[in-house]
Amino acid sequence: MARTEALRTEYPLGPATGSPVNRVDGRLKVTGAARYAADFTAEGLVYGFVVSSTIASGRIVAIDASVAHETPGVLLVLTHENRPELPLADAAFKDQIAPGGMPFRPLWDDRIWYSGQPVALVVAETLELARHAASLVRVRYETTPHCTELSRVISNAYPPSQEKGGFEPPPSPRGDAISAFVDAPVRTDAFYSTPIEYHNPMEMHGCTVVPDADGRLTVYEKTQGVLNTREYLMNVFSLPAEAVRVISPFVGGAFGSGLRPHYHLPLAVMAARDLKRPVRVTLTRQQMFNFVHRPQSIQRVALAAATDGRLAAVIHEAVSETSQFEDHCDVVVNWAGLLYACDNVRLGYKVAKLDVCTPGDMRAPGATQGLFPLESAMDELAEKLQMDPLALRVVNYAERDANKNLPFSSKALRECYQQGAERFGWAGRPLAPRTLRDGTELIGWGMATGAWDAMQKPASARAVLKSDGRVTVSSSTADIGTGTYTAMTQIAADTLGIDVADVRFELGDSTLSEAPIEGGSFTVSSVGSAVQAACSRLRDRLATLAREYGGEQFAQATPAEIRRDGMQLSCGTGRRGAIAIDKLLSRAGLERLDESATVSPKEQQKKYSMGTHSAVFAEVRVDEALGTVRVTRVVSAVAAGRIVNPKTAASQIAGAVVWGISMALQEEAQFDHNLGRAMNHNLSEYHIPVNADIDRIEVVFVDESDNVVNPLGAKGVGEIGVVGVAAAIANAIWHATGKRIRDLPITLDKVIA
């Protein structure tokens, strides 16, 4: 059972933490040995294919599956007319991060909520046959009017009445922003928009469900939280915890799309229980576009300042879209009251219902779309003030979180500005736009600030020492490609005082110690702290055994003086009196040592505002005649507390910068609003960067010590890297061309319009 009392001995982290250790799972991935949700197999495995609706709103009048049924090799066609009985209560279909409203129930009734909604599942002996048979299912609909265009329903927007986990409503206004704005000598006031974006991980969502003779289910699922998935299945299918095991050792990217269980999972379970056979259901790339997404937004930012640049008023209002059945909320506008010092701040956030699937969290949700207009507006204000944009931000530097009226646990944003600007060469930036040129290309430099929360959640871990001296550490957390396996191995190795090679970390199994979903950049903070605690207990226990059974030299040693030396323990100088671990355990009558720990946030954290910060500097080249934009340099200076692995962390930031470039210049769901669906639902038409689009990216980690955020002092880097990048690029395009573009993405038609 996990213990929560304080450790007897605190062990400092050793040389592995903070070192660029190679991914411990890297060889498995590059050799193809890593197995994902749709790689697991079982005897008698059959395949399901989802039939998706072709209308955006209405009802099903009739389904004719007779031809599909009669096709040899087809085993089952599930529809709302023959699905198994399911609970009536909304709570049965909720999950850990479900927003307010009615959760989606696949195949519940004849109602169509959005285009691409699942209306049937065809199960057959092969995937090809299932897909073919799905094309034979005929569905007749009765349509009702629909809307997928946010600008048409913005007048119906409303403040969300129900909150999802992690959503913080905007704080109450402070001061009188309206009067201060009117009275200020320098003002900017504009609307900005961001489009629907899709996660598009390399691995499509899918699962393999294996029932046994007693009705127990083993579920291999692409998920960011095996415990969340297990609880969802327990509730939907009225199963006890011991009847469901969820396994997810590897995830081929998720970016937030795997936080919630999706419709393929309950459909696969329905089919597996009906057929009493293993069933695999995977979605196509096209179906991934009728799915969770970053919500589109329309935002207004109004800033006012004195002639010296000090902010007199900040107004940030945003409307984003949600589905007809749930209220998805992002923290979009709160950052405006947090980042800069201002006495008069007014923030507003609303959602508007569209006939689409419920949006979902997507890398740095809220901050990514909220910081684009805020940081663009700061640049516009600097332009009106004839002031350097970096100097404007420094003048308005916030020493406290005015939203919460709390001090920061740490904040090295000034150092981010300084070190990022120095690395980029910002001091050489001319103030006026259209000043720098190279042949037919205009050159522009832009910058922006980034911010994200530093969070810790309750988490548990287990550490087991075997007689061969090797240690297995485990927790039910996930690794969605972020390097969790490696970071936890480093933390465990340093806490135990052993080599990384002597530690094995296990994750992604609902039978392991409890852990939160992997998201929000809090995995190292939460699970890493639990790993450190469990390994500290294990080291304490081993030291106690050595003092009891190791002989006279050990009996006089303190726990901190007893150290691992290969597969034996030593103390003092030299190896005199050393004892092999297997011998020590044998003397104690033990085959292994087994310690667990649970670590939760401390009360002290409530006294502080905790966050990560960044300064992003970008250089663009714009062809004056063609309007094409190239991002030729990006410097991202990040303050995120202790960096456990600078190699994998820098990779996280660089990948996030690529996504920011994509957001600024390419990504956009192009809807046919008559049909109510995205038409560029593939990777050839939904534009994302290729290698030729990416040039030089430099990542600077700014030293930052924080003893409040968690025992490790680590804040996480998964989200902060994307925040502010799009604004920095938009600002650089203005500096190159003199044209301000406020609607993403910034495509060449907008540049030359």
Side-chain angles (χ1 to χ4, degrees), residues 468-482:
D468 63 2
R470 291 180 169 81
V471 178
T472 299
V473 184
S474 59
S475 180
S476 62
T477 187
D479 189 337
I480 59 175
T482 51

Side-chain angles (χ1 to χ4, degrees), residues 8 465 537-552 554-555 557 559 562 569 579-595:
R8 296 195 305 274
L465 170 68
R537 297 193 203 286
L538 187 64
R539 186 168 174 173
D540 281 345
R541 180 97 177 276
L542 193 59
T544 299
L545 288 181
R547 296 177 68 189
E548 293 178 3
Y549 299 99
E552 182 177 350
F554 284 98
I562 299 172
L569 296 182
I579 184 171
I581 290 173
D582 59 350
K583 186 175 182 180
L584 177 63
L585 293 180
S586 178
R587 286 184 183 180
L590 299 170
E591 294 182 356
R592 60 170 61 187
L593 292 183
D594 189 337
E595 290 291 331

Side-chain angles (χ1 to χ4, degrees), residues 141-204:
Y141 301 99
E142 178 184 279
T143 62
T144 53
H146 68 267
C147 181
T148 54
E149 196 170 359
L150 182 59
S151 60
R152 286 179 52 197
V153 297
I154 195 168
S155 60
N156 298 326
Y158 57 94
S161 58
Q162 292 177 287
E163 300 171 12
K164 71 166 185 174
F167 174 68
E168 294 182 24
S172 300
R174 60 178 185 262
D176 186 346
I178 303 297
S179 297
F181 180 82
V182 171
D183 295 340
V186 185
R187 294 173 291 185
T188 179
D189 189 350
F191 284 88
Y192 306 78
S193 70
T194 62
I196 285 179
E197 299 170 9
Y198 289 98
H199 301 75
N200 273 314
M202 289 183 68
E203 179 196 11
M204 266 79 79

Side-chain angles (χ1 to χ4, degrees), residues 150-476:
L150 182 59
S151 60
R152 286 179 52 197
V153 297
I154 195 168
S155 60
N156 298 326
Y158 57 94
S161 58
Q162 292 177 287
E163 300 171 12
K164 71 166 185 174
F167 174 68
E168 294 182 24
S172 300
R174 60 178 185 262
D176 186 346
I178 303 297
S179 297
F181 180 82
V182 171
D183 295 340
V186 185
R187 294 173 291 185
T188 179
D189 189 350
F191 284 88
Y192 306 78
S193 70
T194 62
I196 285 179
E197 299 170 9
Y198 289 98
H199 301 75
N200 273 314
M202 289 183 68
E203 179 196 11
M204 266 79 79
H205 280 271
C207 64
T208 305
V209 179
V210 183
D212 68 12
D214 296 321
R216 291 188 295 266
L217 301 175
T218 301
V219 179
Y220 302 96
E221 162 74 337
K222 176 191 171 94
T223 178
Q224 293 175 244
V226 290
L227 296 181
N228 185 30
T229 300
R230 183 185 67 175
E231 183 178 354
Y232 173 83
L233 292 177
M234 288 166 52
N235 292 338
V236 171
F237 295 99
S238 302
L239 298 169
E242 60 272 14
V244 185
R245 182 184 182 188
V246 180
I247 298 174
S248 182
F250 294 98
V251 176
F255 315 114
S257 67
L259 290 172
R260 300 187 67 182
H262 297 297
Y263 62 75
H264 66 278
L265 178 63
L267 293 181
V269 172
M270 288 182 205
R273 297 181 77 192
D274 184 289
L275 296 171
K276 297 181 172 52
R277 292 180 65 172
V279 174
R280 176 179 298 160
V281 177
T282 54
L283 301 183
T284 65
R285 180 62 66 184
Q286 287 73 25
Q287 288 170 333
M288 297 277 285
F289 283 82
N290 301 315
F291 215 55
V292 292
H293 54 274
R294 194 190 300 281
Q296 59 183 304
S297 72
I298 297 173
Q299 303 179 53
R300 176 203 175 203
V301 176
L303 303 178
T307 53
D308 64 358
R310 297 188 183 276
L311 285 169
V314 173
I315 301 170
H316 190 176
E317 300 165 335
V319 175
S320 62
E321 45 104 353
T322 188
S323 68
Q324 293 289 351
F325 47 91
E326 288 181 301
D327 283 354
H328 174 82
C329 311
D330 277 341
V331 181
V332 177
V333 300
N334 301 22
W335 314 97
L338 165 74
L339 266 182
Y340 301 112
C342 183
D343 293 332
N344 303 289
V345 177
R346 184 181 183 89
L347 309 174
Y349 176 72
K350 296 180 179 181
V351 296
K353 289 189 176 297
L354 293 177
D355 297 293
V356 296
C357 180
T358 303
D361 291 337
M362 185 167 168
R363 201 170 196 170
T368 301
Q369 60 264 45
L371 267 290
F372 163 66
L374 176 65
E375 289 301 288
S376 297
M378 286 292 286
D379 205 70
E380 295 191 48
L381 185 64
E383 175 192 352
K384 290 197 171 186
L385 288 161
Q386 289 296 292
M387 189 174 185
D388 179 81
L390 177 56
L392 176 63
R393 288 163 172 82
V394 173
V395 163
N396 292 287
Y397 193 88
E399 300 291 352
R400 291 174 63 85
D401 178 349
N403 285 348
K404 300 176 181 177
N405 193 27
L406 292 174
F408 295 103
S409 61
S410 62
K411 185 183 179 185
L413 178 57
R414 270 201 185 93
E415 292 76 7
C416 291
Y417 288 146
Q418 177 186 351
Q419 295 180 33
E422 184 177 335
R423 182 73 64 92
F424 188 82
W426 185 262
R429 176 186 184 272
L431 198 61
R434 299 183 66 89
T435 302
L436 302 175
R437 178 187 290 271
D438 181 8
T440 63
E441 290 184 315
L442 300 169
I443 301 172
W445 290 1
M447 63 85 55
T449 307
W452 184 249
D453 293 320
M455 298 171 278
Q456 182 186 1
K457 306 289 184 181
S460 302
R462 181 186 182 193
V464 179
L465 170 68
K466 297 181 181 178
S467 59
D468 63 2
R470 291 180 169 81
V471 178
T472 299
V473 184
S474 59
S475 180
S476 62

Side-chain angles (χ1 to χ4, degrees), residues 473-529:
V473 184
S474 59
S475 180
S476 62
T477 187
D479 189 337
I480 59 175
T482 51
T484 304
Y485 276 110
T486 307
M488 300 306 156
T489 300
Q490 290 176 262
I491 294 167
D494 277 353
T495 306
L496 292 164
I498 61 178
D499 291 336
V500 167
D502 292 328
V503 177
R504 179 187 177 196
F505 186 70
E506 297 178 343
L507 54 71
D509 189 330
S510 60
T511 63
L512 301 177
S513 303
E514 291 199 11
I517 54 178
E518 183 174 64
S521 297
F522 52 65
T523 297
V524 167
S525 170
S526 308
V527 181
S529 296

Side-chain angles (χ1 to χ4, degrees), residues 98-155:
M102 181 198 76
F104 180 70
R105 300 167 167 88
L107 307 188
W108 183 253
D109 55 23
D110 62 2
R111 175 71 187 270
I112 299 298
W113 295 95
Y114 61 93
S115 180
Q117 175 180 318
V119 296
L121 178 72
V122 179
V123 183
E125 296 284 355
T126 67
L127 175 60
E128 295 78 7
L129 179 57
R131 185 165 191 163
H132 169 67
S135 71
L136 303 177
V137 176
R138 298 290 177 257
V139 185
R140 189 155 54 90
Y141 301 99
E142 178 184 279
T143 62
T144 53
H146 68 267
C147 181
T148 54
E149 196 170 359
L150 182 59
S151 60
R152 286 179 52 197
V153 297
I154 195 168
S155 60

